[in-house]
Amino acid sequence: MADTFSENDFKWMKRAIELALKGRGYVAPNPLVGCVIVSYDNKVIGEGYHEKYGEAHAEINAINSVKDKSDFVDATMYVTLEPCSHTGKTPSCAKEIVDLPLKRIVIGMEDPNPVVNGSGIEILKNAGSFKVESGCLEQKVSRMNEAFIHYMRFKKPFITLKIAQTADGYVAAPDGNSKWITGEESRKKVHEWRSYYDAVMVGKNTAELDNPKLTVRHVEGRQPLRIVIDGSLGLPEHLNLFCDQHEEKTIVLTHNKEKYDKTADSMLQLLQSDYFRGETMLVRNKEGHVDLEHAIELLGDKQITSILVEAGSQLASAMIRENLVDKLHLFIAPKLLGGGTRSVVGVGIDRMEEVISLHDVSWANCGSDVLLTGYF
């Protein structure tokens, strides 16, 4: 770990981070990684980022982008994450780098993946031909890869809860309608987030009342998986989640074993052209509801590393109560509703001493709305 880095180091690592972010939504369960190669006279000679899961890593893309191979002499490579030491879908990046006539390699952070976890840095240091320094803008790099790091540690997806409420604390009108509490800019931001996360999750009430598509429409980006919690397996088949062009991306979580078994065993239904072509997963029953903790574990087993939960008050309360939420996005709209469904209720706190405090909190304007972001 280097004690200090220069302003130039920060400059080029920031550029590597910018490149890495271009892979959002396309590389999971792999991390976001960017790489910049700078010549001895401080000019960029190569750039690259991990563009898609299963394809070349950032370092290889950067190396291949260098037109004149003699420029590698005494150059510095900036890479956001420790080069991998193992051969998986692609060769070991560390072993590809050791033969380059570099002067220095600057790394944002070590790779928490147990099969790497410092071994890539060790390979580079053992090469002995260049200096290796790690920890440049480590906090920024780790925040960028918060979902990957969380998944590596716990083998469970990183959960972000999104809530939109009025200034007086309501998430829906008395009739259950919640369209639209927030403004256009906030809705566009949510679509952007959807394109970054592996999956978007809603509860049964939201699916039935709002009939959401949970697709990316207001921005360009890939479509996420869609998860709906339907404990009784009783949602109507005409909902968008079950019959639009993205229905194969829908996952239904249920605890109704009897109905689940009937659905799974019915070959006739499988042959029907209008049969739901997504996936239904059986989850443990917990007091008449889907066992949320078990559901998150099963989704982690499917290599789903991040989930954006667009919940109503019941699901939001349950997930906070069961300590399943890692991050909160709370939109506050400059509107007064005066009645209806209150924002996040029933988390079981009766005294101020038990209040849940968020950390690393930030505020931002989003059109006419205010966005609070914090971590649990």
Side-chain angles (χ1 to χ4, degrees), residues 56-75:
H57 290 184
E59 302 94 315
I60 304 306
N61 285 332
I63 291 170
N64 290 339
S65 74
V66 178
K67 295 179 181 178
D68 187 345
K69 303 308 177 184
S70 66
D71 287 340
F72 282 119
V73 177
D74 290 335

Side-chain angles (χ1 to χ4, degrees), residues 224-240:
L225 293 171
R226 307 179 300 186
I227 303 169
V228 57
I229 298 175
D230 183 10
S232 64
L233 209 56
L235 282 171
E237 297 176 358
H238 63 77
L239 297 180
N240 289 317

Side-chain angles (χ1 to χ4, degrees), residues 39-318:
S39 66
Y40 71 94
D41 56 351
N42 203 38
K43 295 179 181 177
V44 175
I45 60 172
E47 291 186 335
Y49 66 97
H50 188 26
E51 299 177 17
K52 189 176 181 180
Y53 176 69
E55 297 185 359
H57 290 184
E59 302 94 315
I60 304 306
N61 285 332
I63 291 170
N64 290 339
S65 74
V66 178
K67 295 179 181 178
D68 187 345
K69 303 308 177 184
S70 66
D71 287 340
F72 282 119
V73 177
D74 290 335
T76 299
M77 174 182 284
Y78 294 89
V79 59
T80 56
L81 193 71
E82 171 188 2
C84 62
S85 56
H86 63 293
T87 298
K89 290 184 177 293
T90 60
S92 163
C93 291
K95 292 177 181 177
E96 294 285 327
I97 294 169
V98 293
D99 292 328
L100 298 176
L102 301 172
K103 180 180 181 179
R104 188 166 168 251
I105 297 179
V106 179
I107 298 168
M109 66 172 288
E110 290 188 9
D111 189 340
N113 187 337
V115 301
V116 183
N117 197 27
S119 59
I121 291 176
E122 186 177 353
I123 289 173
L124 297 174
K125 286 183 174 180
N126 288 341
S129 57
F130 39 67
K131 188 176 183 180
V132 182
E133 299 172 274
S134 179
C136 183
L137 297 183
E138 182 171 6
Q139 187 172 359
K140 288 183 180 294
V141 174
S142 62
R143 183 66 82 201
M144 172 180 70
N145 273 315
E146 58 191 9
F148 170 74
I149 294 170
H150 183 275
Y151 186 74
M152 285 295 107
R153 288 181 62 191
F154 305 109
K155 294 302 177 187
K156 297 178 183 179
F158 182 88
I159 307 295
T160 296
L161 174 62
K162 186 275 293 183
I163 299 174
Q165 67 171 54
T166 60
D168 54 347
Y170 291 94
V171 296
D175 63 358
N177 185 16
S178 61
K179 294 184 178 181
W180 294 101
I181 287 177
T182 55
E184 185 176 343
E185 285 300 311
S186 298
R187 297 197 293 275
K188 183 177 179 181
K189 175 64 70 175
V190 172
H191 282 244
E192 183 181 319
W193 291 336
R194 287 177 183 174
S195 73
Y196 299 157
Y197 281 76
D198 291 349
V200 182
M201 176 187 286
V202 294
K204 181 177 181 178
N205 289 343
T206 298
E208 195 160 22
L209 291 172
D210 294 348
N211 191 19
K213 295 180 179 179
L214 303 183
T215 54
V216 176
R217 301 186 301 279
H218 298 316
V219 299
E220 289 188 9
R222 74 97 174 84
Q223 299 295 338
L225 293 171
R226 307 179 300 186
I227 303 169
V228 57
I229 298 175
D230 183 10
S232 64
L233 209 56
L235 282 171
E237 297 176 358
H238 63 77
L239 297 180
N240 289 317
L241 295 175
F242 306 139
C243 62
D244 66 8
Q245 72 265 38
H246 301 294
E247 66 174 286
E248 292 181 2
K249 283 181 168 285
T250 300
I251 299 173
V252 180
L253 303 178
T254 182
H255 60 71
N256 190 333
K257 188 176 186 306
E258 182 179 356
K259 203 166 185 180
Y260 171 84
D261 288 340
K262 285 182 180 179
T263 301
D265 292 340
S266 176
M267 294 305 296
L268 176 61
Q269 284 183 309
L270 288 172
L271 294 172
Q272 291 176 347
S273 60
D274 61 347
Y275 181 71
F276 170 54
R277 289 182 288 274
E279 180 179 1
T280 304
M281 295 175 60
L282 184 63
V283 182
R284 286 196 297 257
N285 185 325
K286 184 177 180 180
E287 299 176 356
H289 300 280
V290 162
D291 185 329
L292 293 174
E293 185 171 3
H294 185 223
I296 297 303
E297 290 175 0
L298 293 179
L299 293 170
D301 291 342
K302 293 178 66 67
Q303 290 193 312
I304 294 174
T305 65
S306 60
I307 299 175
L308 177 65
V309 180
E310 300 186 27
S313 61
Q314 289 187 23
L315 179 56
S317 299

